[in-house]
């Protein structure tokens, strides 16, 4: 598994890390290896070693191309970009707020949801936006579903740019996993939003082959504004079985 924390000595080492984790996520502490934020970061790196990659670099070795608001700080690198950790308003960094941020940010912008990683999405404390598509025998999306996939990706990018932290987007090949949770058959292509804290879910009922990105955004806004119709709270037994399968497979 290797050490919980890996030291980066300069720009070349950071670029190597970015290339190594190009389709994954890693965290980077910037600053002296002392003080409150360093202690929190190093403690959580040991706790989350099996879930994330953690690095540290001194301010003197940080490339000029990486812009930060303050030092020390923690960044997450993912989706060919990077983002800062910001403590809750009027608060100093705490173990709980940093750990929450690590768990929220360890998922990519629009990853695939599978049995083996379902528990990671449920740990995000977000509304999980699940796009259900179906690959053909050649493991590719047909033209219509590729268009829907690209549209959902654009929506995910827009929400990330707007710093909307309420939603985690993902896609699912086939509806079997979602069917087992909501206890009915979901259309393919389809869109379901699962609240990972209340265990409620919402279902986009329009035909995805005929809608626009604005239709999807209005649907998500209705969830954010508490005006969307909640289908029901999911029985805990359904989620427990799905989470158990996820942990056993992972």
């Amino acid at each position: 598994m290797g050490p919980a924390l890996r030291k980066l000595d300069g720009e070349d080492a950071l670029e190597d890390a970015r290339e190594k984790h190009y389709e994954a996520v890693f965290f980077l502490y910037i600053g002296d290896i002392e003080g409150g934020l360093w202690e929190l970061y190093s403690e959580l790196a040991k706790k989350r070693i099996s879930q994330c990659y953690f690095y540290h670099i001194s301010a003197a070795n940080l490339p000029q191309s990486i812009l930060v608001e303050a030092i020390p700080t923690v960044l997450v690198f993912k989706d060919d970009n990077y983002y800062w950790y910001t403590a809750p308003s009027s608060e100093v960094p705490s173990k709980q707020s940093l750990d929450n941020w690590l768990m929220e940010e360890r998922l990519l912008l629009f990853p695939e949801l599978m049995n083996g990683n379902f528990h990671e999405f449920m740990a995000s404390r977000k509304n999980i936006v699940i796009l259900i598509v179906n690959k053909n025998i050649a493991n590719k999306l047909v033209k219509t579903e590729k268009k829907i996939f690209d549209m959902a990706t654009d929506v995910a990018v827009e929400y990330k740019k707007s710093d909307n932290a309420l939603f985690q987007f993902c896609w699912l090949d086939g509806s079997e996993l979602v069917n087992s949770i909501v206890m009915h058959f979901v259309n393919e292509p389809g869109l379901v939003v699962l609240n990972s804290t209340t265990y409620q879910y919402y279902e986009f009922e329009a035909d995805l082959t005929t809608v626009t990105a604005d239709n999807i955004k209005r649907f998500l806004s209705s969830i954010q504004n508490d005006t969307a119709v909640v289908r029901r709270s999911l029985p805990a037994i359904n989620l427990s079985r799905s989470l158990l399968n996820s942990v056993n497979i992972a």
Side-chain angles (χ1 to χ4, degrees):
M1 182 176 295
L5 276 165
R6 296 172 172 85
K7 181 180 179 181
L8 301 179
D9 294 322
E11 184 172 0
D12 290 343
L14 178 55
E15 285 305 311
D16 287 344
R18 296 186 76 170
E19 290 180 9
K20 179 180 179 181
H21 304 298
Y22 180 73
E23 294 184 350
V25 175
F26 73 89
F27 296 94
L28 178 66
Y29 170 89
I30 303 168
D32 296 331
I33 51 176
E34 62 181 11
L37 184 58
W38 165 255
E39 292 176 1
L40 295 175
Y41 180 77
S42 57
E43 180 181 350
L44 290 170
K46 294 173 184 176
K47 175 183 177 181
R48 301 294 185 184
I49 184 174
S50 64
Q51 300 169 295
C52 311
Y53 296 98
F54 296 90
Y55 294 88
H56 66 95
I57 191 172
S58 68
N61 288 327
L62 183 69
Q64 292 182 354
S65 59
I66 304 299
L67 304 178
V68 296
E69 296 180 334
I71 293 176
T73 190
V74 179
L75 304 182
V76 58
F77 286 80
K78 64 179 186 178
D79 303 309
D80 200 28
N81 210 333
Y82 62 91
Y83 307 93
W84 298 278
Y85 161 69
T86 303
S89 300
S90 71
E91 290 185 17
V92 297
S94 68
K95 181 178 178 180
Q96 188 62 57
S97 68
L98 181 57
D99 194 34
N100 288 344
W101 182 78
L102 294 175
M103 291 299 94
E104 291 171 1
E105 293 293 343
R106 70 188 179 119
L107 295 170
L108 293 169
L109 177 72
F110 196 37
E112 181 178 6
L113 172 64
M114 299 177 287
N115 274 319
N117 64 7
F118 179 65
H119 64 290
E120 297 181 14
F121 288 88
M122 292 302 293
S124 70
R125 304 183 303 115
K126 296 185 179 183
N127 289 294
I128 306 169
V129 183
I130 308 171
L131 174 68
I132 301 101
V133 292
N134 206 326
K135 292 183 177 180
N136 60 22
I137 195 170
N139 203 35
K140 294 182 179 180
L141 296 171
V142 299
K143 185 176 181 180
T144 302
E145 294 199 354
K146 179 65 167 59
K147 181 179 179 181
I148 296 169
F149 187 94
D150 290 343
M151 178 173 62
T153 302
D154 290 341
V155 173
V157 170
E158 183 174 337
Y159 270 69
K160 184 62 179 179
K161 287 182 177 179
S162 68
D163 291 327
N164 191 313
L166 294 179
F167 298 99
Q168 169 62 52
F169 293 79
C170 60
W171 64 277
L172 181 65
D173 183 15
S175 61
E176 182 177 355
L177 176 59
V178 167
N179 293 343
S180 69
I181 296 172
V182 304
M183 298 301 290
H184 73 84
F185 289 103
V186 177
N187 292 331
E188 300 175 11
L191 189 70
V192 170
V193 178
L194 170 62
N195 187 310
S196 63
T197 58
T198 67
Y199 299 160
Q200 296 174 323
Y201 80 95
Y202 311 84
E203 193 167 347
F204 187 69
E205 297 184 345
D207 183 355
L208 280 177
T209 63
T210 63
V211 303
T212 65
D214 286 337
N215 296 129
I216 295 177
K217 287 186 287 186
R218 280 195 291 270
F219 171 61
L220 298 180
S221 293
S222 69
I223 295 173
Q224 187 171 351
N225 298 330
D226 293 325
T227 58
V229 176
V230 180
R231 292 297 295 262
R232 60 174 168 168
S233 294
L234 299 171
I237 187 64
N238 295 350
L239 288 168
S240 297
R241 287 171 177 168
S242 297
L243 287 168
L244 180 61
N245 289 338
S246 174
V247 172
N248 288 339
I249 293 172

